[in-house]
Amino acid sequence: MRKTRLRDKGIEPTEPSPAPDGRVTSGSRLSLDTSASGNSSLIAVGLSLLLLYLTLLFPGHPGEFDGDTLRQIPLEMPVIVLALLLVKGRAAYWLGKVLVLTLGSLLLLRLADLGSFLAFNRRFNPLLEMHLLADGWNLASTTIGPLEAAVVVLLMLLVLGLLAGLLYRGLLTIAQTRGRTRRLLIPLSLISLMIGSILLYKVEPSRESFTISARVVPEFRQRITSLLASIRDQQLFIGELQEDTVLDRSEPTFASLQGRDVILVFVESYGRGYLDAERFADAARNRLTTTENTLEKAGLKARSGWLTSPIRGGRSWLAHATLQSGLEVDNQARFDRLISTDRNSLSRLFQRAGWHTIGVMPAIQLAWPEGAWYGYESLHVAADMGYAGERFGYVTMPDQYTLSHFEQALRHQHDGPIMATLALLSTHAPWTPLPQKVDWDTIGDGSLFDGSQRFGEPISWKYRDRVQDMYIRSFDYTLEILGEYAAQFADDALIIVVGDHQPPPIINGWGASGDVPIHFISRDSSLLARLPDAQWVDGMQPDDSIQSQRMASLRGSLSILFE
């Protein structure tokens, strides 16, 4: 009789439910529709459905944060709702846990995608890029401080934990729905599923109206496919390592460079976007023109071209390894495989031909066993460079100090020619604070960089224009320094200046190419004349009239062009 009266009022009586230990307990706990109006139930279910909707639609790309994303109707939603409503007893609790694990993993992967696209313009691959967590911590802790970075990480973990808890509670709320709300949800979900399935395959999507989407299963399938492709890529790379188009042909002697120093300079985040972006193309070209004039006054000439870097936005060491190995090293797995082999780097090729090889890496602050593969006969990292000044956020020392220390303390220590590889840092994100140029004769041990020779405060990346302004100014500094260094200290050396990768998308969007500038600078015009016109132009400004070369091809080109 009591059950009949409850049903007459629109309330479903609650059957005894199992306890967490599996025992069935009795009690008078009612289900969600405990009020005659059912308003509280409708609000709770409505909020749960909204959370599920937003979770399913959360974007994995920065360009998807717009109205078009919210106008999608995920077909997975009625499927999940029906499953929760139709599964009984403890199975509903386990289904909720499985769904939270699945959707939580999807949300984490999309968050990782979001960060990876913002930094590198590519989707996150957990098999290849888990090391980026440590690299991200290093950048954050040196930029905003370790304590502040730890607080940010802790807050992120707390927010993710809270979201997971709310999602689990919301799924259980849907599963426990009874009464009129349940009787309404089941047919609505069935109708939505049927109509949505038809519209998904029969109706062309429109950006002006709501569209049906079914992304979850295809997305997981794509991620699995990507992981399998990464495994196949490793097998392919093993085969590529067995061949060496340089040494298989003949031992290079670099005869036309005999007796000359060769100085290879990597410039951080120096990409085609710096020259082509409308916002600062004029400033960039003016700076290159000024640098060219500085070189010409010192009797130096330059030829410039484009290289296509295998990476964008970061992971400079992969670009370095690509140029040095003559192989496309576009992920960490390839890099780890490469450094475990005896393949000769470009530096080793010069060493075999009679040059003393030097590595100058001011970004390296921890043990760097990977550096052994490059074959530097003398390697100088941040702790070895005698810098007595203050660091510039993430940047350990200004580029002018790096070049001055190389020239004064390293370049002339050995008899015979040297082949040096330098990696400059002042143009590294977040481009603040920046150093001021000082007189070369006053640099010494760098102690004058005591906090007074700098400008620029920390900038949130939500202020894109301000970040771009500092990016421009960082290159105005570094390219001016490079021009002055060559003009004063080049002598008869061949100086090669090359960008490592395009800057992060905040500088020039997500669709930029992988091209980076490369400049050959020398006092000997006959050396520069060896560079073919199809790929090189005179001066410091490469243009669209020439072909871009793969960065991996430069190792082979140098061994041919300078024989």
Side-chain angles (χ1 to χ4, degrees), residues 37-77:
S37 65
N39 287 338
S40 61
S41 173
L42 286 173
I43 292 173
V45 172
L47 291 174
S48 301
L49 291 172
L50 177 62
L51 181 59
L52 177 60
Y53 171 80
L54 293 175
T55 301
L56 289 168
L57 289 184
F58 187 85
H61 192 288
E64 295 176 355
F65 282 88
D66 55 22
D68 292 330
T69 298
L70 292 178
R71 282 196 290 270
Q72 297 180 52
I73 301 175
L75 196 59
E76 297 88 357
M77 189 165 178

mmCIF file of all heavy atoms in Angstrom, residues 37-77:
data_model
loop_
_atom_site.group_PDB
_atom_site.id
_atom_site.type_symbol
_atom_site.label_atom_id
_atom_site.label_comp_id
_atom_site.label_asym_id
_atom_site.label_seq_id
_atom_site.Cartn_x
_atom_site.Cartn_y
_atom_site.Cartn_z
ATOM 1 N N SER A 37 7.677 17.815 -6.433
ATOM 2 C CA SER A 37 7.883 18.563 -7.671
ATOM 3 C C SER A 37 9.007 17.985 -8.508
ATOM 4 O O SER A 37 9.048 18.133 -9.717
ATOM 5 C CB SER A 37 8.197 20.030 -7.351
ATOM 6 O OG SER A 37 9.428 20.099 -6.659
ATOM 7 N N GLY A 38 9.967 17.350 -7.860
ATOM 8 C CA GLY A 38 11.131 16.812 -8.589
ATOM 9 C C GLY A 38 12.092 17.889 -9.030
ATOM 10 O O GLY A 38 12.996 17.625 -9.821
ATOM 11 N N ASN A 39 11.968 19.147 -8.527
ATOM 12 C CA ASN A 39 12.836 20.238 -8.990
ATOM 13 C C ASN A 39 14.298 19.982 -8.654
ATOM 14 O O ASN A 39 15.192 20.205 -9.471
ATOM 15 C CB ASN A 39 12.387 21.566 -8.369
ATOM 16 C CG ASN A 39 11.088 22.059 -8.994
ATOM 17 O OD1 ASN A 39 10.753 21.661 -10.108
ATOM 18 N ND2 ASN A 39 10.359 22.898 -8.271
ATOM 19 N N SER A 40 14.552 19.519 -7.413
ATOM 20 C CA SER A 40 15.934 19.271 -7.021
ATOM 21 C C SER A 40 16.563 18.185 -7.871
ATOM 22 O O SER A 40 17.726 18.252 -8.241
ATOM 23 C CB SER A 40 16.008 18.895 -5.537
ATOM 24 O OG SER A 40 15.263 17.712 -5.299
ATOM 25 N N SER A 41 15.783 17.169 -8.201
ATOM 26 C CA SER A 41 16.285 16.102 -9.053
ATOM 27 C C SER A 41 16.614 16.624 -10.439
ATOM 28 O O SER A 41 17.659 16.309 -11.004
ATOM 29 C CB SER A 41 15.261 14.978 -9.157
ATOM 30 O OG SER A 41 15.666 14.029 -10.107
ATOM 31 N N LEU A 42 15.731 17.412 -10.996
ATOM 32 C CA LEU A 42 15.967 17.948 -12.334
ATOM 33 C C LEU A 42 17.204 18.830 -12.372
ATOM 34 O O LEU A 42 17.996 18.783 -13.323
ATOM 35 C CB LEU A 42 14.737 18.738 -12.805
ATOM 36 C CG LEU A 42 13.517 17.919 -13.203
ATOM 37 C CD1 LEU A 42 12.332 18.821 -13.480
ATOM 38 C CD2 LEU A 42 13.836 17.058 -14.424
ATOM 39 N N ILE A 43 17.404 19.631 -11.343
ATOM 40 C CA ILE A 43 18.582 20.507 -11.301
ATOM 41 C C ILE A 43 19.848 19.665 -11.208
ATOM 42 O O ILE A 43 20.830 19.903 -11.927
ATOM 43 C CB ILE A 43 18.481 21.477 -10.110
ATOM 44 C CG1 ILE A 43 17.336 22.467 -10.338
ATOM 45 C CG2 ILE A 43 19.804 22.218 -9.924
ATOM 46 C CD1 ILE A 43 17.057 23.353 -9.153
ATOM 47 N N ALA A 44 19.844 18.644 -10.314
ATOM 48 C CA ALA A 44 21.025 17.803 -10.151
ATOM 49 C C ALA A 44 21.359 17.055 -11.433
ATOM 50 O O ALA A 44 22.517 17.003 -11.866
ATOM 51 C CB ALA A 44 20.800 16.813 -9.004
ATOM 52 N N VAL A 45 20.339 16.483 -12.065
ATOM 53 C CA VAL A 45 20.562 15.757 -13.313
ATOM 54 C C VAL A 45 20.995 16.712 -14.419
ATOM 55 O O VAL A 45 21.891 16.409 -15.221
ATOM 56 C CB VAL A 45 19.292 14.987 -13.726
ATOM 57 C CG1 VAL A 45 19.451 14.383 -15.121
ATOM 58 C CG2 VAL A 45 18.991 13.896 -12.720
ATOM 59 N N GLY A 46 20.388 17.896 -14.460
ATOM 60 C CA GLY A 46 20.749 18.882 -15.477
ATOM 61 C C GLY A 46 22.203 19.307 -15.360
ATOM 62 O O GLY A 46 22.923 19.386 -16.365
ATOM 63 N N LEU A 47 22.678 19.550 -14.120
ATOM 64 C CA LEU A 47 24.071 19.914 -13.923
ATOM 65 C C LEU A 47 25.006 18.758 -14.283
ATOM 66 O O LEU A 47 26.086 18.967 -14.841
ATOM 67 C CB LEU A 47 24.291 20.333 -12.471
ATOM 68 C CG LEU A 47 23.642 21.660 -12.046
ATOM 69 C CD1 LEU A 47 23.807 21.893 -10.562
ATOM 70 C CD2 LEU A 47 24.230 22.824 -12.839
ATOM 71 N N SER A 48 24.577 17.538 -13.969
ATOM 72 C CA SER A 48 25.391 16.367 -14.309
ATOM 73 C C SER A 48 25.509 16.207 -15.817
ATOM 74 O O SER A 48 26.587 15.917 -16.347
ATOM 75 C CB SER A 48 24.776 15.102 -13.691
ATOM 76 O OG SER A 48 24.696 15.212 -12.282
ATOM 77 N N LEU A 49 24.399 16.403 -16.516
ATOM 78 C CA LEU A 49 24.428 16.311 -17.975
ATOM 79 C C LEU A 49 25.295 17.414 -18.583
ATOM 80 O O LEU A 49 26.016 17.188 -19.560
ATOM 81 C CB LEU A 49 23.008 16.391 -18.535
ATOM 82 C CG LEU A 49 22.097 15.197 -18.237
ATOM 83 C CD1 LEU A 49 20.676 15.489 -18.681
ATOM 84 C CD2 LEU A 49 22.621 13.933 -18.906
ATOM 85 N N LEU A 50 25.239 18.610 -18.005
ATOM 86 C CA LEU A 50 26.059 19.714 -18.507
ATOM 87 C C LEU A 50 27.538 19.407 -18.333
ATOM 88 O O LEU A 50 28.348 19.656 -19.244
ATOM 89 C CB LEU A 50 25.692 20.999 -17.760
ATOM 90 C CG LEU A 50 26.515 22.247 -18.123
ATOM 91 C CD1 LEU A 50 26.335 22.605 -19.594
ATOM 92 C CD2 LEU A 50 26.141 23.429 -17.230
ATOM 93 N N LEU A 51 27.935 18.851 -17.178
ATOM 94 C CA LEU A 51 29.332 18.503 -16.946
ATOM 95 C C LEU A 51 29.790 17.431 -17.928
ATOM 96 O O LEU A 51 30.896 17.505 -18.476
ATOM 97 C CB LEU A 51 29.513 18.021 -15.508
ATOM 98 C CG LEU A 51 30.933 17.629 -15.096
ATOM 99 C CD1 LEU A 51 31.888 18.806 -15.268
ATOM 100 C CD2 LEU A 51 30.964 17.128 -13.646
ATOM 101 N N LEU A 52 28.948 16.441 -18.175
ATOM 102 C CA LEU A 52 29.280 15.396 -19.141
ATOM 103 C C LEU A 52 29.431 15.986 -20.540
ATOM 104 O O LEU A 52 30.361 15.643 -21.276
ATOM 105 C CB LEU A 52 28.203 14.314 -19.122
ATOM 106 C CG LEU A 52 28.358 13.173 -20.128
ATOM 107 C CD1 LEU A 52 29.666 12.433 -19.914
ATOM 108 C CD2 LEU A 52 27.169 12.220 -20.027
ATOM 109 N N TYR A 53 28.542 16.877 -20.893
ATOM 110 C CA TYR A 53 28.581 17.541 -22.210
ATOM 111 C C TYR A 53 29.884 18.315 -22.393
ATOM 112 O O TYR A 53 30.562 18.194 -23.417
ATOM 113 C CB TYR A 53 27.368 18.454 -22.315
ATOM 114 C CG TYR A 53 27.333 19.382 -23.500
ATOM 115 C CD1 TYR A 53 26.945 18.929 -24.752
ATOM 116 C CD2 TYR A 53 27.667 20.730 -23.367
ATOM 117 C CE1 TYR A 53 26.896 19.782 -25.842
ATOM 118 C CE2 TYR A 53 27.624 21.589 -24.444
ATOM 119 C CZ TYR A 53 27.230 21.113 -25.675
ATOM 120 O OH TYR A 53 27.192 21.960 -26.749
ATOM 121 N N LEU A 54 30.261 19.099 -21.391
ATOM 122 C CA LEU A 54 31.475 19.906 -21.494
ATOM 123 C C LEU A 54 32.726 19.029 -21.510
ATOM 124 O O LEU A 54 33.701 19.349 -22.202
ATOM 125 C CB LEU A 54 31.539 20.892 -20.327
ATOM 126 C CG LEU A 54 30.462 21.983 -20.317
ATOM 127 C CD1 LEU A 54 30.564 22.825 -19.054
ATOM 128 C CD2 LEU A 54 30.555 22.868 -21.551
ATOM 129 N N THR A 55 32.703 17.929 -20.767
ATOM 130 C CA THR A 55 33.849 17.022 -20.778
ATOM 131 C C THR A 55 34.049 16.410 -22.153
ATOM 132 O O THR A 55 35.171 16.327 -22.668
ATOM 133 C CB THR A 55 33.653 15.907 -19.732
ATOM 134 O OG1 THR A 55 33.515 16.494 -18.432
ATOM 135 C CG2 THR A 55 34.840 14.952 -19.731
ATOM 136 N N LEU A 56 32.957 15.958 -22.766
ATOM 137 C CA LEU A 56 33.053 15.338 -24.086
ATOM 138 C C LEU A 56 33.517 16.323 -25.151
ATOM 139 O O LEU A 56 34.194 15.943 -26.116
ATOM 140 C CB LEU A 56 31.699 14.744 -24.488
ATOM 141 C CG LEU A 56 31.263 13.494 -23.715
ATOM 142 C CD1 LEU A 56 29.799 13.178 -23.999
ATOM 143 C CD2 LEU A 56 32.150 12.310 -24.061
ATOM 144 N N LEU A 57 33.172 17.607 -24.990
ATOM 145 C CA LEU A 57 33.492 18.605 -26.010
ATOM 146 C C LEU A 57 34.773 19.372 -25.724
ATOM 147 O O LEU A 57 35.173 20.210 -26.533
ATOM 148 C CB LEU A 57 32.341 19.598 -26.165
ATOM 149 C CG LEU A 57 31.064 19.082 -26.812
ATOM 150 C CD1 LEU A 57 30.060 20.216 -26.988
ATOM 151 C CD2 LEU A 57 31.340 18.425 -28.158
ATOM 152 N N PHE A 58 35.431 19.101 -24.590
ATOM 153 C CA PHE A 58 36.622 19.893 -24.253
ATOM 154 C C PHE A 58 37.635 19.795 -25.388
ATOM 155 O O PHE A 58 38.031 18.706 -25.796
ATOM 156 C CB PHE A 58 37.250 19.395 -22.955
ATOM 157 C CG PHE A 58 38.373 20.257 -22.475
ATOM 158 C CD1 PHE A 58 38.114 21.383 -21.711
ATOM 159 C CD2 PHE A 58 39.698 19.972 -22.802
ATOM 160 C CE1 PHE A 58 39.147 22.205 -21.275
ATOM 161 C CE2 PHE A 58 40.735 20.773 -22.380
ATOM 162 C CZ PHE A 58 40.454 21.897 -21.608
ATOM 163 N N PRO A 59 38.099 20.945 -25.913
ATOM 164 C CA PRO A 59 38.983 20.923 -27.091
ATOM 165 C C PRO A 59 40.399 20.484 -26.748
ATOM 166 O O PRO A 59 40.886 20.689 -25.630
ATOM 167 C CB PRO A 59 38.983 22.387 -27.567
ATOM 168 C CG PRO A 59 37.875 23.059 -26.818
ATOM 169 C CD PRO A 59 37.731 22.314 -25.542
ATOM 170 N N GLY A 60 41.069 19.909 -27.724
ATOM 171 C CA GLY A 60 42.468 19.560 -27.603
ATOM 172 C C GLY A 60 43.352 20.442 -28.453
ATOM 173 O O GLY A 60 44.554 20.163 -28.603
ATOM 174 N N HIS A 61 42.790 21.504 -29.025
ATOM 175 C CA HIS A 61 43.552 22.426 -29.870
ATOM 176 C C HIS A 61 43.147 23.845 -29.511
ATOM 177 O O HIS A 61 41.958 24.137 -29.334
ATOM 178 C CB HIS A 61 43.253 22.159 -31.346
ATOM 179 C CG HIS A 61 44.182 22.857 -32.293
ATOM 180 N ND1 HIS A 61 44.136 24.231 -32.498
ATOM 181 C CD2 HIS A 61 45.188 22.402 -33.074
ATOM 182 C CE1 HIS A 61 45.062 24.576 -33.377
ATOM 183 N NE2 HIS A 61 45.721 23.482 -33.736
ATOM 184 N N PRO A 62 44.111 24.763 -29.385
ATOM 185 C CA PRO A 62 43.776 26.145 -29.009
ATOM 186 C C PRO A 62 42.807 26.811 -29.973
ATOM 187 O O PRO A 62 42.021 27.673 -29.564
ATOM 188 C CB PRO A 62 45.139 26.860 -29.036
ATOM 189 C CG PRO A 62 46.141 25.778 -28.873
ATOM 190 C CD PRO A 62 45.573 24.562 -29.533
ATOM 191 N N GLY A 63 42.826 26.420 -31.239
ATOM 192 C CA GLY A 63 41.938 27.027 -32.219
ATOM 193 C C GLY A 63 40.500 26.585 -32.121
ATOM 194 O O GLY A 63 39.634 27.100 -32.837
ATOM 195 N N GLU A 64 40.188 25.630 -31.219
ATOM 196 C CA GLU A 64 38.831 25.109 -31.098
ATOM 197 C C GLU A 64 38.056 25.734 -29.955
ATOM 198 O O GLU A 64 36.925 25.326 -29.684
ATOM 199 C CB GLU A 64 38.885 23.588 -30.924
ATOM 200 C CG GLU A 64 39.436 22.861 -32.150
ATOM 201 C CD GLU A 64 39.570 21.369 -31.922
ATOM 202 O OE1 GLU A 64 39.329 20.920 -30.776
ATOM 203 O OE2 GLU A 64 39.919 20.645 -32.874
ATOM 204 N N PHE A 65 38.651 26.695 -29.275
ATOM 205 C CA PHE A 65 37.928 27.374 -28.203
ATOM 206 C C PHE A 65 37.055 28.472 -28.806
ATOM 207 O O PHE A 65 37.371 29.664 -28.753
ATOM 208 C CB PHE A 65 38.908 27.959 -27.174
ATOM 209 C CG PHE A 65 39.463 26.950 -26.235
ATOM 210 C CD1 PHE A 65 40.612 26.235 -26.552
ATOM 211 C CD2 PHE A 65 38.826 26.677 -25.036
ATOM 212 C CE1 PHE A 65 41.130 25.286 -25.687
ATOM 213 C CE2 PHE A 65 39.333 25.728 -24.152
ATOM 214 C CZ PHE A 65 40.480 25.032 -24.475
ATOM 215 N N ASP A 66 35.957 28.062 -29.397
ATOM 216 C CA ASP A 66 35.049 29.022 -30.019
ATOM 217 C C ASP A 66 33.622 28.482 -29.975
ATOM 218 O O ASP A 66 33.363 27.375 -29.470
ATOM 219 C CB ASP A 66 35.469 29.312 -31.470
ATOM 220 C CG ASP A 66 35.586 28.051 -32.309
ATOM 221 O OD1 ASP A 66 34.974 27.027 -31.944
ATOM 222 O OD2 ASP A 66 36.274 28.086 -33.343
ATOM 223 N N GLY A 67 32.704 29.260 -30.521
ATOM 224 C CA GLY A 67 31.298 28.869 -30.507
ATOM 225 C C GLY A 67 31.013 27.620 -31.306
ATOM 226 O O GLY A 67 30.060 26.879 -31.007
ATOM 227 N N ASP A 68 31.794 27.351 -32.344
ATOM 228 C CA ASP A 68 31.555 26.171 -33.170
ATOM 229 C C ASP A 68 31.688 24.893 -32.347
ATOM 230 O O ASP A 68 30.963 23.923 -32.567
ATOM 231 C CB ASP A 68 32.542 26.134 -34.340
ATOM 232 C CG ASP A 68 32.281 27.254 -35.340
ATOM 233 O OD1 ASP A 68 31.110 27.660 -35.463
ATOM 234 O OD2 ASP A 68 33.242 27.721 -35.965
ATOM 235 N N THR A 69 32.617 24.876 -31.401
ATOM 236 C CA THR A 69 32.788 23.695 -30.551
ATOM 237 C C THR A 69 31.560 23.468 -29.692
ATOM 238 O O THR A 69 31.066 22.338 -29.562
ATOM 239 C CB THR A 69 34.037 23.860 -29.673
ATOM 240 O OG1 THR A 69 35.188 23.965 -30.509
ATOM 241 C CG2 THR A 69 34.196 22.671 -28.737
ATOM 242 N N LEU A 70 31.028 24.528 -29.099
ATOM 243 C CA LEU A 70 29.854 24.404 -28.233
ATOM 244 C C LEU A 70 28.581 24.097 -29.012
ATOM 245 O O LEU A 70 27.591 23.659 -28.432
ATOM 246 C CB LEU A 70 29.669 25.685 -27.416
ATOM 247 C CG LEU A 70 30.743 25.959 -26.362
ATOM 248 C CD1 LEU A 70 30.480 27.286 -25.664
ATOM 249 C CD2 LEU A 70 30.782 24.825 -25.335
ATOM 250 N N ARG A 71 28.596 24.334 -30.330
ATOM 251 C CA ARG A 71 27.411 24.012 -31.140
ATOM 252 C C ARG A 71 27.398 22.553 -31.594
ATOM 253 O O ARG A 71 26.530 22.147 -32.350
ATOM 254 C CB ARG A 71 27.339 24.949 -32.346
ATOM 255 C CG ARG A 71 26.822 26.339 -32.012
ATOM 256 C CD ARG A 71 26.403 27.088 -33.269
ATOM 257 N NE ARG A 71 27.542 27.448 -34.090
ATOM 258 C CZ ARG A 71 28.212 28.589 -33.966
ATOM 259 N NH1 ARG A 71 27.855 29.462 -33.034
ATOM 260 N NH2 ARG A 71 29.235 28.855 -34.750
ATOM 261 N N GLN A 72 28.364 21.767 -31.125
ATOM 262 C CA GLN A 72 28.350 20.350 -31.426
ATOM 263 C C GLN A 72 27.519 19.596 -30.392
ATOM 264 O O GLN A 72 27.475 19.979 -29.220
ATOM 265 C CB GLN A 72 29.770 19.786 -31.429
ATOM 266 C CG GLN A 72 30.681 20.370 -32.491
ATOM 267 C CD GLN A 72 32.067 19.762 -32.428
ATOM 268 O OE1 GLN A 72 32.213 18.552 -32.434
ATOM 269 N NE2 GLN A 72 33.071 20.614 -32.350
ATOM 270 N N ILE A 73 26.872 18.540 -30.822
ATOM 271 C CA ILE A 73 26.119 17.666 -29.926
ATOM 272 C C ILE A 73 26.799 16.307 -29.960
ATOM 273 O O ILE A 73 26.733 15.599 -30.970
ATOM 274 C CB ILE A 73 24.649 17.538 -30.351
ATOM 275 C CG1 ILE A 73 23.992 18.927 -30.361
ATOM 276 C CG2 ILE A 73 23.897 16.590 -29.429
ATOM 277 C CD1 ILE A 73 22.576 18.927 -30.880
ATOM 278 N N PRO A 74 27.497 15.920 -28.894
ATOM 279 C CA PRO A 74 28.240 14.651 -28.917
ATOM 280 C C PRO A 74 27.302 13.447 -28.874
ATOM 281 O O PRO A 74 26.491 13.311 -27.946
ATOM 282 C CB PRO A 74 29.111 14.733 -27.666
ATOM 283 C CG PRO A 74 28.400 15.682 -26.760
ATOM 284 C CD PRO A 74 27.670 16.663 -27.637
ATOM 285 N N LEU A 75 27.401 12.592 -29.855
ATOM 286 C CA LEU A 75 26.536 11.415 -29.924
ATOM 287 C C LEU A 75 26.843 10.443 -28.788
ATOM 288 O O LEU A 75 26.003 9.607 -28.433
ATOM 289 C CB LEU A 75 26.730 10.723 -31.281
ATOM 290 C CG LEU A 75 25.669 9.710 -31.705
ATOM 291 C CD1 LEU A 75 24.298 10.355 -31.771
ATOM 292 C CD2 LEU A 75 26.028 9.092 -33.051
ATOM 293 N N GLU A 76 28.047 10.543 -28.223
ATOM 294 C CA GLU A 76 28.382 9.668 -27.105
ATOM 295 C C GLU A 76 27.518 9.956 -25.873
ATOM 296 O O GLU A 76 27.343 9.084 -25.023
ATOM 297 C CB GLU A 76 29.853 9.842 -26.719
ATOM 298 C CG GLU A 76 30.845 9.443 -27.804
ATOM 299 C CD GLU A 76 31.172 10.573 -28.752
ATOM 300 O OE1 GLU A 76 30.569 11.666 -28.584
ATOM 301 O OE2 GLU A 76 32.013 10.383 -29.636
ATOM 302 N N MET A 77 26.974 11.160 -25.793
ATOM 303 C CA MET A 77 26.237 11.535 -24.591
ATOM 304 C C MET A 77 24.978 10.694 -24.378
ATOM 305 O O MET A 77 24.787 10.131 -23.286
ATOM 306 C CB MET A 77 25.905 13.029 -24.646
ATOM 307 C CG MET A 77 25.345 13.559 -23.349
ATOM 308 S SD MET A 77 25.387 15.361 -23.318
ATOM 309 C CE MET A 77 24.618 15.667 -21.735
#
